[in-house]
Amino acid sequence: MNSLPFQRIAHKVTTIDAQPSLPGTNSVIINVTGQLMFDDEPQPQQFTQTFQLVDHEGFFIFNDIFRLNYA
């Protein structure tokens, strides 16, 4: 992480969508979109993250997909 070309990062969540997944289990799939701002860059980068939470003696992330959407 120390070799990444930026010092600060901030995020702004734009949307969150969720729905049940895996019939017969206590689980949910969540999709998040938003913007990432690096250091003092004037143009934020768009991102999408989709992950699945599954309950097994407490919720845990079963799958996670992150995509940085370059313009």
Side-chain angles (χ1 to χ4, degrees):
M1 297 291 277
N2 292 334
S3 64
L4 293 174
F6 50 86
Q7 298 298 314
R8 294 186 323 267
I9 188 167
H11 68 279
K12 178 182 176 185
V13 172
T14 306
T15 64
I16 301 174
D17 298 297
Q19 67 181 42
S21 65
L22 292 175
T25 65
N26 193 13
S27 62
V28 63
I29 190 161
I30 301 166
N31 188 66
V32 180
T33 64
Q35 299 176 331
L36 296 176
M37 285 74 71
F38 301 98
D39 293 330
D40 296 322
E41 289 288 322
Q43 185 67 29
Q45 296 292 318
Q46 305 296 318
F47 78 89
T48 303
Q49 185 171 18
T50 304
F51 56 98
Q52 183 179 31
L53 296 175
V54 177
D55 185 15
H56 181 73
E57 300 176 10
F59 281 93
F60 69 96
I61 297 174
F62 186 70
N63 292 303
D64 188 6
I65 301 169
F66 179 85
R67 180 180 183 121
L68 193 56
N69 302 314
Y70 293 103

